Amino acid sequence: MVKTAILVSGGGTNLQAIIDAHLFGEIKNCELTAVISSNPDAYAIERAQHADIPAYIVDRASFPNRATFTKALLDKLLDLDIDLAVYAGFNFILDPPFIETYRNRIINIHPSLIPSFCGLGYYGLRTHEAVLEHGVKITGATAHFATEIADDGPIILQKAVPILEDDTPKSLQQRVMEEAEWEILPRAISLFCEGRLEVDGRIVHIKEVVDDAEQP
């Protein structure tokens, strides 16, 4: 089983999607070992407790800078012997030591079709506001491996969501979550935990499942 930690900062809607998918057996070979919150008041902590997942707090406000916060978070993951880290509404870019230790073992979800509407400044409603301001006809979500640069890592999965004439940033945000984020994030986690992801530079290859019964 792949020991997995979900990193959160807020309400935890993506965390709930992961929990639900796990309960229904849609995430294979995965142990939800911990939920770690950068915010002691995050509702995501309650979601973890309701699901009997150990919850920990590494409060960003308790650390003088990003480097000390990064070290504390990395130490917690190493103490828990975590194999995979998942950003699920986690609002911080971490220093290189974290990325180097967990290279291609950190999955993030972003509410647009990367490389559009991503990078610094594109988070929350701002992403959907920008999508509507630009008048594009489709948007969506991207599950990718996190790197030192925001939203720049190898893409695992994407799903498109059409934009409706009467969409507002809030309605679009909700539909992107429901129709894309909550589907592809658990799927990406499962693919990783099944050992089906192979990273070649910027390209992520998804290995086919081999049925043992079909082997000669």
Side-chain angles (χ1 to χ4, degrees), residues 131-143:
V131 164
L132 294 176
E133 288 166 2
H134 280 74
V136 299
K137 303 307 180 186
I138 60 169
T139 184
T142 304

Side-chain angles (χ1 to χ4, degrees), residues 47-213:
R47 294 183 190 272
Q49 292 170 342
H50 291 158
D52 293 324
I53 303 171
Y56 305 88
I57 297 169
V58 181
D59 186 358
R60 174 64 182 90
S62 299
F63 298 90
N65 51 49
R66 189 170 70 180
T68 55
F69 173 63
T70 297
K71 184 179 185 305
L73 191 59
L74 178 56
D75 287 346
K76 174 58 69 176
L77 264 64
L78 293 175
D79 286 345
L80 294 170
D81 196 26
I82 295 299
D83 301 306
L84 172 67
V86 178
Y87 295 169
F90 182 71
N91 295 335
F92 300 98
I93 297 174
L94 299 173
D95 277 356
F98 188 91
I99 303 297
E100 290 164 4
T101 302
Y102 279 91
R103 178 76 62 186
N104 295 331
R105 293 192 292 149
I106 309 166
I107 294 177
N108 183 47
I109 188 77
H110 181 74
S112 77
L113 296 174
I114 292 173
S116 296
F117 307 105
C118 65
L120 292 177
Y122 285 98
Y123 61 91
L125 278 179
R126 176 57 196 147
T127 303
H128 305 290
E129 289 169 352
V131 164
L132 294 176
E133 288 166 2
H134 280 74
V136 299
K137 303 307 180 186
I138 60 169
T139 184
T142 304
H144 66 98
F145 286 114
T147 65
E148 297 88 345
I149 302 173
D151 305 324
D152 191 56
I155 292 170
I156 303 168
L157 294 171
Q158 292 184 298
K159 186 177 180 185
V161 174
I163 294 172
L164 307 180
E165 286 290 333
D166 60 350
D167 263 329
T168 66
K170 286 188 176 181
S171 71
L172 186 57
Q173 180 185 51
Q174 187 66 30
R175 287 196 305 107
V176 168
M177 284 193 297
E178 292 176 355
E179 297 179 19
E181 293 181 52
W182 297 349
E183 178 179 329
I184 66 173
L185 180 56
R187 177 65 175 153
I189 295 169
S190 187
L191 287 170
F192 180 95
C193 293
E194 293 173 65
R196 293 180 56 196
L197 300 180
E198 183 178 287
V199 182
D200 180 11
R202 293 192 61 86
I203 308 300
V204 178
H205 300 285
I206 300 175
K207 302 176 187 177
E208 295 295 328
V209 175
V210 177
D211 188 343
D212 291 339

Side-chain angles (χ1 to χ4, degrees), residues 4-57:
T4 302
I6 314 299
L7 277 56
V8 299
S9 297
T13 54
N14 281 324
L15 168 64
Q16 190 64 54
I18 294 167
I19 291 170
D20 293 345
H22 191 262
L23 288 174
F24 281 98
E26 297 170 8
I27 303 179
K28 301 175 182 177
N29 198 42
C30 175
E31 175 188 295
L32 294 181
T33 304
V35 169
I36 303 176
S37 177
S38 65
N39 173 9
D41 299 319
Y43 183 67
I45 297 170
E46 291 190 35
R47 294 183 190 272
Q49 292 170 342
H50 291 158
D52 293 324
I53 303 171
Y56 305 88
I57 297 169

